[in-house]
Amino acid sequence: AQKITQTQPGMFVQEKEAVTLDCTYDTSDPSYGLFWYKQPSSGEMIFLIYQGSYDQQNATEGRYSLNFQKARKSANLVISASQLGDSAMYFCAMREVSYSGGYNKLIFGAGTRLAVHP
Amino acid sequence: EAGVTQFPSHSVIEKGQTVTLRCDPISGHDNLYWYRRVMGKEIKFLLHFVKESKQDESGMPNNRFLAERTGGTYSTLKVQPAELEDSGVYFCASSQAAGGRSEQFFGPGTRLTVL
C-alpha cells in the first residue's frame, strides 16, 4: 500500500537558517509524483514544490528545494533562509499516476509543524 | 482569478443531523477532489470528480456521505446522519488537468464539529 511518513511532528529553526523537513514514501508504482504543501494557521493549503519520479534533477522553487533520493524513497523539503512567515504545518504528499490517467488522489503524511524563531 | 472556495467555513451540528458542505472550484477546472482531516490524523482522500462524473470514490467512508457535482461546476458533500467521528476539516481541491505535474489547488476547508 502507498504510504507517506513524516517522522517529525514538530521542528523549530532560527530565522535566516536552513531547515530540512523529512519525508519518506512507499509505493510499488514506478511512476509517481511527490508534493509539498504548506498550511499556515489560516488553514489554506498552499502548494510549494513538485518532484516527479522520473525527474533527473532535484526540484527547486525559490527558497524551497527538494532533496530527492529515489533509492532511499525519501523526498525531504529544504527551506533556506527561514523567515517568520514560514511558521506553518507542512505536508508531504504523493500521487500515483495511472497510465489511463484516471488515478489522481493524493496521499498525505501526518505533517510537520515548523516554528521559526526570531 | 478566484481560488477554490468552500462554504461554510465552520459548522457545528448535533449527532444525527444533516450537514451539506459546498465547494466552488476554480473556473475551468474539470477535476474536483474532496479530502478530510479527522482528529489530527492524516489528510485522507474522499473522492474525485471529472466534470460531473465520479472518477474515484474509493475514499468515501460509508453511505452516510453523498457527493454530487451537478452540471460539472460546484460540488456538495452531504453527511446524513452525522456521527461524532465525522468531526474534522473537509477540504476541496480542484485542478485543470489530472495526473503528472498538475497541481491541485485547495480551498480553505470547512471545519465540521459534531456534538
Side-chain angles (χ1 to χ4, degrees), chain B residues 16-60:
Chain B
Q17 290 185 324
T18 297
V19 64
T20 300
L21 313 181
R22 173 171 171 145
C23 168
D24 286 79
I26 293 173
S27 178
H29 282 193
D30 287 340
N31 295 276
L32 187 149
Y33 311 81
W34 283 97
Y35 295 85
R36 73 171 180 175
R37 190 179 187 206
V38 175
M39 294 291 288
K41 295 184 179 178
E42 290 89 346
I43 300 168
K44 294 285 191 183
F45 167 83
L46 295 178
L47 88 159
H48 169 207
F49 282 101
V50 177
K51 297 184 179 179
E52 66 276 9
S53 299
K54 293 176 183 175
Q55 180 74 26
D56 180 0
E57 51 183 328
S58 61
M60 294 289 266

Side-chain angles (χ1 to χ4, degrees), chain A residues 11-21 38 63-64 77-87 90 114-118:
Chain A
M11 291 280 287
F12 69 88
V13 64
Q14 289 294 125
E15 194 178 7
K16 299 181 184 178
E17 292 185 349
V19 63
T20 297
L21 306 183
K38 171 185 177 181
R63 294 186 299 111
Y64 304 107
L77 177 70
V78 180
I79 304 175
S80 62
S82 297
Q83 302 172 356
L84 296 179
D86 293 335
S87 294
Y90 288 80
L114 176 67
V116 181
H117 296 173

Side-chain angles (χ1 to χ4, degrees), chain B:
Chain B
E1 178 181 302
V4 177
T5 57
Q6 293 186 246
F7 182 83
S9 57
H10 293 83
S11 180
V12 180
I13 61 173
E14 293 189 350
K15 176 182 173 181
Q17 290 185 324
T18 297
V19 64
T20 300
L21 313 181
R22 173 171 171 145
C23 168
D24 286 79
I26 293 173
S27 178
H29 282 193
D30 287 340
N31 295 276
L32 187 149
Y33 311 81
W34 283 97
Y35 295 85
R36 73 171 180 175
R37 190 179 187 206
V38 175
M39 294 291 288
K41 295 184 179 178
E42 290 89 346
I43 300 168
K44 294 285 191 183
F45 167 83
L46 295 178
L47 88 159
H48 169 207
F49 282 101
V50 177
K51 297 184 179 179
E52 66 276 9
S53 299
K54 293 176 183 175
Q55 180 74 26
D56 180 0
E57 51 183 328
S58 61
M60 294 289 266
N62 51 61
N63 58 10
R64 295 186 294 105
F65 289 75
L66 175 64
E68 294 180 325
R69 192 182 182 195
T70 306
T73 55
Y74 71 91
S75 174
T76 58
L77 180 64
K78 181 190 289 187
V79 186
Q80 179 182 30
E83 298 289 344
L84 299 179
E85 63 264 26
D86 300 332
S87 296
V89 181
Y90 289 76
F91 292 100
C92 175
S94 73
S95 67
Q96 192 166 36
R101 298 177 177 275
S102 57
E103 174 190 345
Q104 293 183 18
F105 295 84
F106 280 76
T110 292
R111 182 173 295 277
L112 174 65
T113 302
V114 182
L115 302 175

Side-chain angles (χ1 to χ4, degrees), chain A residues 17-35:
Chain A
E17 292 185 349
V19 63
T20 297
L21 306 183
D22 294 342
C23 172
T24 58
Y25 60 91
D26 189 19
T27 180
S28 57
D29 196 323
S31 180
Y32 52 89
L34 296 157
F35 299 76

